[in-house]
Amino acid sequence: MSRFQVVSGKGGTGKTTVAAALALALATEGRRTLLVEVEGRQGIAQLFGSEALPYEERAIAVAPGGGEVHALAIDAEQALLDYLQMFYKLGGAGRALKKLGAIDFATTVAPGVRDVLLTGKACEAVRRKDKQGRFVYDHVVMDAPPTGRITRFLNVNDEVAGLARIGPIHNQAQAVMRVLKSPETAVHLVTLLEEMPVQETADGIAELRAADLPVGRIVVNMVRPHLLDEDALRTASGGRRKEIAKALTRAGVTGSAGLVRPLVEQASAHAQRVGLEREQRAVLAGLGLPTVELPLVGEGVTLSSLHDLAAEFRKQGVGDETADAATAGPGGARRPARPGGGSARGMGS
């Protein structure tokens, strides 16, 4: 399992929920994950029922087996101040630039700069080690921008490295791309079993592959259960009212004639939906990627339902496969969970 898990998806597919559930799944059995938000929506805080996340890493949930999920809302302005301090030792001068509005100008007017800072901060967390030389986080999960923007968002450091041929900016951009284009990273795309999200997923996968960015899984979210067996689906799709009326009468249902029409309409709509979903599953299967399916959560997402979705991830092999490789010491031995965490500051190199 790659150490940096990037979760993207078309708006409305529930990618933030999927990212949170994935972080919980990866944190089981004493592991530690960092759940990163980059869009400033505070969606993670809302899901976990916590206050708005500051620009610091803090524990927000405990997973089965004693694992921990930490969260960080990356602020581009603060990340730029970190960057200026680390590479140029500006310190107080950086804060003065913030007062003058230069920091806000750089992160708002130049979106490429903003993306460099956001991806750089996340990759720093992936690479960060403690004093014993062990990774501070076993996995970092990013709730990333939507599918239509994900390739440019992740690939921006490649462009920066080409523009800045030498110096700390060039070196930082290259270090970030080494993480993003390595087996350490997997970009997962969230979709629904609907035509537009599936098509956008297919387009996103093609763009990621063209940019040599590592594609992970397709996560089919909000999957609704099938309420009818195959025979019933065929009957419903054929609209055979007489057969349904006879079946109701045999079952002892009085006034069955008045029930037939609404039942046939509902069953026909269900059969039509099942048929469309099967078509979209076939399209997804043709993309040649492993797929995870998560059920529809009926009454809004709660912390309990996040744990249920995390359990679904693990049932389907996410969080179990090669887990020891991510938590092994120099000799391959499993290392224990660590108390405490790393600082949220610092861009790394």
Side-chain angles (χ1 to χ4, degrees):
M1 175 64 70
S2 301
R3 295 190 58 254
F4 188 23
Q5 310 277 319
V6 180
V7 179
S8 181
K10 179 177 170 59
T13 59
K15 68 179 179 64
T16 300
T17 299
V18 170
L22 177 60
L24 275 169
L26 294 171
T28 53
E29 305 305 325
R31 294 191 291 272
R32 174 182 291 174
T33 62
L34 176 66
L35 179 57
V36 174
E37 182 176 74
V38 296
E39 295 185 281
R41 295 184 294 108
Q42 290 293 334
I44 293 172
Q46 294 173 28
L47 280 175
F48 286 92
S50 69
E51 297 178 354
L53 296 172
Y55 182 62
E56 63 181 34
E57 294 157 23
R58 57 171 54 180
I60 58 169
V62 177
E68 296 177 346
V69 176
H70 292 238
L72 170 66
I74 302 179
D75 178 83
E77 292 185 18
Q78 292 294 331
L80 181 53
L81 289 173
D82 285 350
Y83 183 91
L84 293 174
Q85 170 60 21
M86 176 162 288
F87 292 112
Y88 298 101
K89 309 301 181 186
L90 287 183
R95 290 188 290 275
L97 287 173
K98 180 176 174 63
K99 290 182 180 179
L100 293 172
I103 301 297
D104 180 65
F105 177 84
T107 57
T108 304
V109 177
V113 171
R114 183 182 185 87
D115 291 350
V116 166
L117 294 166
L118 296 174
T119 54
K121 185 65 184 175
C123 287
E124 180 275 326
V126 174
R127 300 190 304 264
R128 192 190 313 154
K129 294 183 179 180
D130 61 19
K131 293 179 180 179
Q132 287 71 44
R134 304 175 302 186
F135 287 116
V136 171
Y137 294 106
D138 298 294
H139 296 281
V140 175
V141 179
M142 177 191 281
D143 177 19
T147 312
R149 202 166 76 81
I150 187 62
T151 299
R152 181 166 180 79
F153 173 77
L154 294 176
N155 215 37
V156 68
N157 285 276
D158 230 1
E159 299 175 13
V160 170
L163 292 172
R165 299 288 183 179
I166 59 173
I169 294 177
H170 173 83
N171 295 338
Q172 167 69 8
Q174 280 198 321
V176 170
M177 291 313 301
R178 280 195 295 271
V179 173
L180 293 178
K181 292 193 174 183
S182 76
E184 283 190 284
T185 299
V187 184
H188 310 298
L189 296 183
V190 183
T191 187
L192 307 179
L193 288 175
E194 298 172 6
E195 186 174 359
M196 287 186 63
V198 167
Q199 184 58 54
E200 189 162 318
T201 298
D203 294 341
I205 290 168
E207 290 176 3
L208 289 165
R209 285 172 169 166
D212 281 334
L213 289 163
V215 186
R217 285 176 167 79
I218 296 169
V219 181
V220 183
N221 196 24
M222 305 185 204
V223 177
R224 290 174 286 189
H226 291 178
L227 305 176
L228 303 175
D229 60 24
E230 292 300 320
D231 289 339
L233 283 172
R234 282 192 292 271
T235 300
S237 61
R240 292 180 283 191
R241 297 185 182 184
K242 290 183 179 180
E243 292 183 28
I244 297 173
K246 290 179 181 178
L248 288 171
T249 301
R250 286 195 300 270
V253 178
T254 59
S256 60
L259 291 174
V260 170
R261 183 175 179 178
L263 281 174
V264 167
E265 289 176 351
Q266 290 185 34
S268 179
H270 178 73
Q272 185 177 16
R273 175 175 66 80
V274 170
L276 292 173
E277 288 177 349
R278 285 176 174 171
E279 291 176 7
Q280 298 311 312
R281 275 196 177 92
V283 173
L284 293 173
L287 298 176
L289 291 173
T291 302
V292 173
E293 292 199 2
L294 299 178
L296 175 68
V297 176
E299 299 182 0
V301 179
T302 63
L303 184 56
S304 176
S305 55
L306 278 180
H307 278 279
D308 291 341
L309 292 174
E312 284 293 329
F313 264 123
R314 289 185 61 79
K315 283 180 187 176
Q316 298 179 55
V318 179
D320 288 322
E321 56 187 348
T322 64
D324 288 343
T327 53
R334 183 70 176 267
R335 54 178 170 75
R338 302 160 301 280
S343 168
R345 302 288 178 178
M347 291 292 293
S349 58

